[in-house]
Amino acid sequence: MRIISRKMLTEFWEQSHRDAEQPLKAWYGEAKHARWRTPADIKRKYRSASIIADNRVVFNIAGNKYRLVVKIHYNAGVLYIRFIGTHAEYDKINAEEI
């Protein structure tokens, strides 16, 4: 998958959440090499991922301490990072629209 943009992840761990660095790097490496064509492909690898509306997926990061929301264009193989934050921050957004 082509991931846009890694910068959002690095800013998150550099600015205030150092414990998220390794889990996010691991997720990024796996997603970059993935060839997800359907939501079922994601669920095979990430059983705890939530598939939501408008081709969005919510991943649990760092033992479910953080939430990562992405939007995927399966046909093009492109994944857009839309949000990374704590559960409290996640509760304040509409993941289906962000």
Side-chain angles (χ1 to χ4, degrees):
M1 303 295 294
R2 195 172 102 206
I3 302 172
I4 301 174
S5 132
R6 185 173 192 256
K7 183 179 179 183
M8 184 181 250
L9 301 179
T10 58
E11 287 176 352
F12 181 75
W13 77 62
E14 287 175 353
Q15 291 176 2
S16 57
H17 302 283
R18 288 279 179 199
D19 61 327
E21 181 176 2
Q22 291 310 315
L24 286 170
K25 283 182 176 179
W27 176 88
Y28 183 89
E30 291 172 2
K32 183 178 178 179
H33 293 99
R35 298 290 173 246
W36 296 324
R37 298 291 176 218
T38 68
D41 293 339
I42 296 169
K43 288 297 274 186
R44 276 192 281 280
K45 174 70 178 170
Y46 296 96
R47 294 184 189 276
S48 66
S50 299
I51 309 300
I52 59 176
D54 199 23
N55 290 323
R56 285 173 167 75
V57 181
V58 181
F59 292 93
N60 298 314
I61 303 295
N64 204 17
K65 187 172 182 182
Y66 304 110
R67 293 278 175 98
L68 172 65
V69 179
V70 303
K71 180 172 181 166
I72 300 177
H73 289 269
Y74 294 99
N75 294 355
V78 179
L79 183 153
Y80 295 90
I81 296 171
R82 307 298 297 153
F83 171 84
I84 178 69
T86 65
H87 277 269
E89 293 165 336
Y90 174 82
D91 289 342
K92 295 177 184 176
I93 67 163
N94 182 341
E96 295 178 358
E97 294 180 0
I98 196 164

